């Protein structure tokens, strides 16, 4: 049997190719510094070092906990804590759904222009679109207040988080929860059970900052509702809201497996009226 031995030039080429293949990935994944920052992966992207990411997570987390209305710090905390696992889990949930895959292909954005709010106001009262726009009007908010994702490395995952962020007001409309702190905490508990995003879990801890009566109501009523509905319902990230505007809102709730909680706005209104009556009674009694 004749043994075939590669020529020296061939062995050299193989060794060179092998060494190059080992070195190239290492160079591609090497860490960078603030003085050697790589180019952005998409418009608006800000690459972060590991130290920067950790510092931003701690700082934004503390600020968000003590001031839940700081949308900028909440957004930053959501982005730096979504990786390496949670945002990929949410992306995979979209890839597992035909509707989710279509959303990822189309990558629609939700703004006051793209949603045509005037058209939504013309829809029947029972529709998703009318329910949504009436919630916007009642809470005095617009779809244009959601900031762009900046700190997620993967462009597709960045869009997934952007989609979640822009869908937040639809979750409010679907559940009827208002934007007061008590309502936001209840909705974040629902979102945490459904999405597992760390930011939503941190927001639930803000229940500690509620008034005693609000905290008691959250623990007895809204937290059990949020856990039950968040776990059993479909992945709400897979709702193609733009295609559901003319759908009956109760039909969509039934399809997703979401039951609306007790009307928090109405409960708070009755409490205010009761406090006002008691105060007037006390004043009239003191006058006598």
């Amino acid at each position: 049997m004749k043994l075939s031995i590669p020529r020296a030039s061939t062995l050299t080429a193989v060794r060179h190719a092998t060494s190059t293949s080992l070195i190239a990935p290492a160079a591609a994944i090497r860490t960078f510094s603030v003085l050697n920052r790589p180019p952005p992966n998409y418009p608006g992207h800000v690459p972060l070092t590991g130290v920067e990411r950790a510092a931003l997570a701690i700082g934004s987390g503390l600020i968000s906990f003590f001031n839940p209305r700081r949308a900028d710090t909440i957004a930053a905390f959501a982005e730096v804590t979504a990786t390496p696992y949670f945002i990929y889990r949410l992306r995979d949930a979209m890839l597992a759904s035909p509707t989710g895959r279509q959303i990822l292909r189309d990558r629609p954005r939700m703004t006051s222009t793209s949603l045509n709010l005037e058209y939504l106001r013309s829809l029947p009262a029972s529709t998703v679109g009318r329910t949504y726009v009436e919630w916007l009007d009642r809470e005095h908010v617009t779809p244009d207040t959601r900031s762009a994702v900046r700190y997620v490395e993967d462009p597709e995952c960045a869009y997934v988080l952007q989609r979640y962020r822009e869908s937040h007001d639809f979750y409010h409309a679907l559940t009827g929860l208002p934007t007061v702190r008590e309502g936001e905490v209840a909705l974040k508990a629902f979102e945490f059970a459904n999405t597992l995003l760390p930011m939503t879990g941190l927001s639930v801890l803000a229940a500690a900052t509620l008034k005693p009566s609000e905290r008691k109501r959250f623990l007895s009523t809204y937290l059990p509702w949020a856990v039950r509905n968040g776990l059993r319902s479909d992945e709400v990230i897979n709702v193609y809201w733009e295609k559901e505007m003319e759908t009956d809102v109760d039909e969509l709730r039934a399809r997703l497996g979401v039951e609306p909680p007790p009307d928090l706005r109405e409960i708070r209104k009755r409490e205010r009226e009761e406090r006002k009556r008691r105060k007037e009674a006390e004043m009239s009694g003191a006058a006598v």
Side-chain angles (χ1 to χ4, degrees):
M1 177 182 295
K2 183 177 180 181
L3 182 62
S4 177
I5 300 176
R7 290 178 297 176
S9 58
T10 304
L11 292 173
T12 302
V14 170
R15 292 193 188 98
H16 176 73
T18 303
S19 62
T20 302
S21 64
L22 292 174
I23 294 172
I29 64 173
R30 70 175 183 271
T31 58
F32 61 89
S33 68
V34 293
L35 300 179
N36 184 31
R37 199 177 298 276
N41 295 332
Y42 52 87
H45 173 228
V46 179
L48 296 176
T49 66
V51 173
E52 289 173 327
R53 185 171 295 274
L56 185 58
I58 295 171
S60 61
L62 290 174
I63 295 173
S64 300
F65 177 78
F66 290 106
N67 187 0
R69 291 190 175 277
R70 280 288 301 272
D72 56 337
T73 57
I74 291 175
F77 183 80
E79 294 173 30
V80 296
T81 58
T83 53
Y85 167 74
F86 302 98
I87 194 61
Y88 291 103
R89 191 212 70 81
L90 205 57
R91 191 270 312 273
D92 291 346
M94 296 187 73
L95 290 174
S97 162
T99 304
R101 291 195 295 271
Q102 185 178 2
I103 294 171
L104 288 176
R105 285 194 300 268
D106 299 344
R107 295 199 180 187
R109 296 292 304 274
M110 290 190 281
T111 66
S112 57
T113 302
S114 67
L115 294 176
N116 193 350
L117 300 186
E118 289 306 313
Y119 168 69
L120 299 185
R121 291 187 178 95
S122 71
L123 293 174
S126 61
T127 60
V128 171
R130 179 72 173 274
T131 302
Y132 168 70
V133 77
E134 286 183 347
W135 183 88
L136 291 179
D137 294 340
R138 184 169 61 250
E139 300 296 327
H140 307 291
V141 296
T142 76
D144 302 320
T145 57
R146 303 300 171 188
S147 56
V149 172
R150 306 172 61 197
Y151 304 119
V152 176
E153 297 294 321
D154 183 87
E156 186 174 52
C157 289
Y159 173 76
V160 172
L161 193 57
Q162 188 72 44
R163 180 70 180 182
Y164 156 76
R165 187 172 289 173
E166 293 178 0
S167 297
H168 178 75
D169 289 342
F170 279 97
Y171 306 156
H172 268 293
L174 192 70
T175 61
L177 290 167
T179 57
V180 296
R181 180 177 295 193
E182 187 179 359
E184 289 289 359
V185 172
L187 186 60
K188 282 295 186 289
F190 168 82
E191 291 178 346
F192 180 62
N194 194 262
T195 69
L196 298 181
L197 290 174
M199 177 273 296
T200 58
L202 175 74
S203 298
V204 175
L205 298 180
T209 66
L210 296 174
K211 297 177 181 178
S213 61
E214 295 174 344
R215 186 163 59 251
K216 180 180 179 181
R217 182 164 52 228
F218 171 73
L219 294 174
S220 64
T221 302
Y222 289 96
L223 180 59
W225 165 84
V227 173
R228 182 173 66 254
N229 282 267
L231 290 177
R232 78 178 183 185
S233 67
D234 293 344
E235 300 270 4
V236 289
I237 192 67
N238 288 327
V239 179
Y240 207 140
W241 297 103
E242 295 88 340
K243 297 181 182 294
E244 299 283 1
M245 295 301 183
E246 299 178 6
T247 302
D248 183 88
V249 67
D250 288 330
E251 176 189 327
L252 180 61
R253 288 172 180 145
R255 192 199 315 161
L256 294 174
V258 176
E259 60 179 350
D263 190 334
L264 181 57
R265 181 172 287 280
E266 185 62 29
I267 292 173
R268 291 168 63 90
K269 179 182 178 181
R270 289 199 302 266
E271 287 183 344
R272 288 195 301 269
E273 292 173 348
E274 180 61 27
R275 287 195 298 269
K276 182 178 179 181
R277 282 195 295 268
R278 287 200 302 265
K279 185 175 181 180
E280 290 174 348
E282 291 172 358
M283 293 178 64
S284 61
V288 172

